[in-house]
Amino acid sequence: MNDSVIEIRGVSKTFRSRLRRTAVRALKDVDVTVVRGTVTAFVGPNGAGKTTTINTILGLLKPDQGSISVFGLKAGSREARRRLGFQSEIFHPYPFHTARAAMEFYGRLSDQPRAPLGKAVERQLERLGLGDSMDRKVGTFSKGMIQRLGLAQALLHRPELLLLDEPTTGLDPQGRKLVADIIQEEQARGTTVFLSSHILSDIERTCDRLIMIRNGEVVLRQEIGSPFQQEGWEIEVTGWCAGAESDLARAGYRPARVDGTIAYFGCTDAEKRNLLRRVLDLSLDVGVVRRPSRSLEDIYMEHVQGQRRV
Amino acid sequence: MSDVWIIAANTFREILRRKVIYVLVLLGVLMMIIWLGQTSLMNMASEADEPEILLQMKTSQTRIFFGMWSSCTAFLGLFLGAVALATEIRTQTIVPVLVRPIPRWAYLVGKWLGTQLFVCLLLGLGIGIGLVIMWAFELEMRPLLWFSMLEMFAGATLFTGVSLGLSVVLNPILAGGVTLLLSSVPNMIELLFRHPHWALKGLAATVYYLSPAHMPTDLLADSFERELLQPDYALYARVIVENILYSMSFLLAGCILFSRQEIKLK
């Protein structure tokens, strides 16, 4: 059984002005695979091509080259659309609907039977914290409430694939946490999530795969979590003094950095045990022993500012 | 078909919330004010015991009312048809709809149906008012008037369908303009038909067949102001049906193009 939910192969897309005088290449030979049941983050700076990619997955845009399949079906086909839920960066509902009417409208367009729809609408609105505003006109909603409604409508028909384009835009920390919790709940239910976001802390918290795009090209594909850790060890030694420095130097160990009475050492797996023994022999205290790691932000900045390509 | 009805009902509700409706109400009030001004003249004719002049004034005023109302609704249909799609794309309300499993044609037909429903209800309201006025004025109801009313509905359908179909490929102003131009072509090329040069005659014939069918007589005026000796009802019915089919062909072409079109959001 093919385990990929989204398969993007060699997709390029160029936008041309009406008179074809200027051309902007939005996507260049993009390859993306989203595996079933994963939460994949799609990150990149503004204008990198994230929304264009999502719009091609939805079938709103057509690639100039390459192919896109969703559940093995042609992107944008009715069957593919039936199985996905989408929230755009800014959700655009009809302002004259109440939250309940908007949800019922989208639910009915998703082929949801009328009878259970009412209950499903209430359940999703409650889940997104809009229970008290069900019968309020959407036009009177705050930006955060509209975003919550956007997520609620994407979840309404219990899709197998959730495409979320910057779902936390305009949300307060409480709302962001709610979205993160919902993503985790959906993943536990078996939903595949493809999430475009700028908020790296949210991605670290919720996603297990990362795809980074810059200038329309995929520059990084990586697992989130342990892969961010590097080789070797970082050891923090407290009670540092000049005598200790000379003793350890004789044994071939020099601190990478000294901060007052705290020294930081870097060593390999093979060196770790010996170094720790010597430190303890000198009656120094070992503060922390850890794998050195880079944050997602470090990786993001490295790929976005630099020219690295993986 | 349920998708079409869902979109149509939503479009209808959306139109009811458009500011243009309030402009229309204002126009209606203005019409009534003009109307009230004319009724004072009618009172004078009545007091002067001039029944023929009074009848003429009543007939003329009723015809003007029907004419103005049908023109207003047809132009409103043209406007609403031309902006229906562009507004949805501009406000991006189209996105959460098109990502759902509905065919693009169903979306466009739903937009048309909702718009058409509104225009027809408005036209029906005007016709209802007109009939009440006719009853109050004790005017004779000629069979031709029924054809004239059908022509009004066909006109509204023509404007709505053609402008919506064109708005798939043209911006709303151009779509509206081209619709207006197409509907005026039959009147504009009459001279060309009489031109002695075969090429111009041929051009006139080509343009004639590409434009909507032309009603050979003013049905509304004939319903009130003169009596046709031999009204050709079959011809009138054919023109009405042809114009509805003409409108549907634009809508169909619009559906085909829209199904293949990219939705580029700003």
Side-chain angles (χ1 to χ4, degrees):
Chain A
M1 195 178 107
N2 189 354
D3 225 21
S4 62
V5 172
I6 302 173
E7 288 256 21
I8 301 180
R9 291 283 162 265
V11 163
S12 297
K13 177 74 190 169
T14 302
F15 291 109
R16 290 186 175 83
S17 68
R18 203 152 266 209
L19 297 171
R20 300 220 164 200
R21 268 185 269 177
T22 51
V24 178
R25 199 149 185 219
L27 299 177
K28 296 167 200 164
D29 202 20
V30 169
D31 285 317
V32 169
T33 302
V34 176
V35 178
R36 190 180 297 272
T38 59
V39 180
T40 304
F42 195 47
V43 298
N46 290 331
K50 299 188 298 293
T51 301
T52 302
T53 306
I54 288 176
N55 284 347
T56 51
I57 295 169
L58 292 167
L60 296 174
L61 293 175
K62 289 186 175 123
D64 300 330
Q65 277 173 23
S67 65
I68 305 174
S69 68
V70 179
F71 300 108
L73 302 157
K74 191 182 167 208
S77 65
R78 275 186 84 184
E79 190 48 37
R81 281 182 284 151
R82 196 185 307 278
R83 295 167 70 178
L84 64 84
F86 170 64
Q87 184 196 3
S88 53
E89 185 179 353
I90 298 168
F91 178 55
H92 296 278
Y94 294 97
F96 56 83
H97 281 151
T98 61
R100 190 195 299 272
M103 291 285 281
E104 282 172 357
F105 171 70
Y106 296 120
R108 287 178 66 200
L109 289 177
S110 301
D111 297 341
Q112 295 295 292
R114 250 191 168 176
L117 182 60
K119 285 214 168 81
V121 164
E122 285 179 10
R123 193 176 53 239
Q124 288 299 347
L125 289 174
E126 293 280 2
R127 188 182 181 197
L128 268 296
L130 293 171
D132 296 335
S133 313
M134 277 186 210
D135 297 310
R136 245 177 79 183
K137 287 264 166 68
V138 171
T140 66
F141 275 20
S142 68
K143 196 176 173 187
M145 288 168 86
I146 287 179
Q147 286 305 91
R148 285 168 188 243
L149 181 65
L151 187 56
Q153 60 82 33
L155 294 165
L156 183 61
H157 55 295
R158 296 174 77 85
E160 294 169 62
L161 168 66
L162 258 181
L163 288 170
L164 307 175
D165 190 3
E166 309 274 358
T168 51
T169 301
L171 291 182
D172 54 19
Q174 196 187 348
R176 277 171 51 194
K177 185 182 179 304
L178 180 68
V179 171
D181 291 346
I182 284 174
I183 289 171
Q184 281 168 347
E185 283 168 29
E186 288 299 311
Q187 189 187 22
R189 200 175 64 81
T191 310
T192 307
V193 183
F194 188 63
L195 163 80
S196 148
S197 180
H198 279 123
I199 301 167
L200 301 173
S201 57
D202 287 353
I203 289 171
E204 269 181 310
R205 191 164 42 161
T206 54
C207 301
D208 38 36
R209 283 169 192 231
L210 173 82
I211 295 169
M212 197 176 288
I213 187 169
R214 189 189 69 220
N215 295 333
E217 290 180 274
V218 172
V219 291
L220 178 71
R221 289 181 193 86
Q222 195 164 347
E223 303 281 322
I224 297 178
S226 54
F228 286 152
Q229 291 177 346
Q230 295 172 316
E231 294 297 303
W233 292 92
E234 193 176 86
I235 299 172
E236 187 185 301
V237 177
T238 56
W240 189 248
C241 59
E245 185 166 7
S246 56
D247 284 350
L248 281 171
R250 272 198 294 278
Y253 299 109
R254 290 182 192 283
R257 182 162 61 94
V258 176
D259 188 3
T261 58
I262 304 172
Y264 298 92
F265 286 86
C267 65
T268 63
D269 286 352
E271 291 167 335
K272 185 183 81 174
R273 188 177 291 264
N274 198 26
L275 174 60
L276 285 172
R277 195 182 310 121
R278 283 182 181 275
V279 167
L280 293 172
D281 286 350
L282 290 169
S283 300
L284 297 170
D285 288 327
V286 176
V288 179
V289 180
R290 66 183 165 211
R291 291 276 190 193
S293 63
R294 289 182 299 161
S295 68
L296 183 55
E297 191 177 338
D298 295 334
I299 293 170
Y300 179 86
M301 296 311 284
E302 186 183 319
H303 282 86
V304 166
Q305 289 181 336
Q307 295 299 311
R308 268 190 72 172
R309 186 175 176 164
V310 178
Chain B
M1 272 308 275
S2 73
D3 291 335
V4 173
W5 286 111
I6 296 165
I7 299 291
N10 195 60
T11 304
F12 187 82
R13 290 182 65 192
E14 198 183 357
I15 291 170
L16 284 181
R17 280 152 182 89
R18 274 183 177 276
K19 288 190 181 103
V20 73
I21 301 308
Y22 303 105
V23 175
L24 195 82
V25 170
L26 193 71
L27 275 174
V29 171
L30 278 173
M31 273 173 73
M32 294 311 284
I33 291 168
I34 295 166
W35 178 269
L36 285 172
Q38 296 296 318
T39 48
S40 63
L41 290 176
M42 280 188 235
N43 288 340
M44 283 162 68
S46 175
E47 279 166 19
D49 199 19
E50 293 283 357
E52 274 186 27
I53 293 174
L54 184 64
L55 180 67
Q56 202 179 6
M57 286 178 80
K58 283 177 175 174
T59 307
S60 154
Q61 285 310 302
T62 311
R63 186 183 63 79
I64 288 170
F65 176 83
F66 273 115
M68 279 182 73
W69 195 280
S70 66
S71 301
C72 282
T73 45
F75 282 111
L76 189 72
L78 178 137
F79 168 76
L80 292 173
V83 300
L85 194 57
T87 307
E88 290 259 354
I89 293 173
R90 182 175 49 80
T91 58
Q92 299 192 21
T93 44
I94 195 169
V95 176
V97 176
L98 288 190
V99 298
R100 285 183 153 80
I102 69 159
R104 294 265 187 103
W105 68 262
Y107 176 80
L108 204 67
V109 172
K111 293 299 296 177
W112 170 77
L113 196 62
T115 310
Q116 190 63 31
L117 196 66
F118 175 79
V119 171
C120 285
L121 279 178
L122 200 66
L123 190 57
L125 176 73
I127 287 175
I129 296 170
L131 291 175
V132 169
I133 292 167
M134 283 183 76
W135 172 76
F137 284 172
E138 295 172 339
L139 295 177
E140 183 196 349
M141 177 81 85
R142 293 179 188 164
L144 206 56
L145 184 63
W146 297 111
F147 270 90
S148 174
M149 288 172 190
L150 281 177
E151 191 198 12
M152 290 175 200
F153 281 105
T157 308
L158 179 78
F159 278 104
T160 313
V162 174
S163 60
L164 183 61
L166 286 172
S167 75
V168 173
V169 285
L170 298 175
N171 73 41
I173 297 169
L174 271 177
V178 173
T179 307
L180 214 54
L181 188 71
L182 282 171
S183 60
S184 329
V185 159
N187 295 323
M188 289 158 66
I189 56 167
E190 260 180 39
L191 280 176
L192 272 183
F193 264 120
R194 289 187 217 119
H195 202 277
H197 198 282
W198 65 268
L200 289 176
K201 258 189 178 172
L203 176 71
T206 310
V207 173
Y208 182 81
Y209 283 107
L210 288 175
S211 61
H214 178 50
M215 191 62 82
T217 182
D218 184 346
L219 291 184
L220 189 62
D222 294 343
S223 309
F224 285 102
E225 285 164 9
R226 62 194 166 116
E227 199 159 359
L228 291 177
L229 292 175
Q230 286 180 314
D232 190 347
Y233 293 122
L235 175 66
Y236 308 149
R238 213 177 70 202
V239 170
I240 288 168
V241 171
E242 271 183 27
N243 278 344
I244 291 171
L245 290 176
Y246 184 85
S247 159
M248 293 302 101
S249 67
F250 271 79
L251 189 64
L252 179 69
C255 287
I256 293 167
L257 291 171
F258 187 56
S259 298
R260 290 163 166 70
Q261 203 176 48
E262 291 190 320
I263 306 295
K264 286 181 184 161
L265 306 163
K266 295 244 161 56

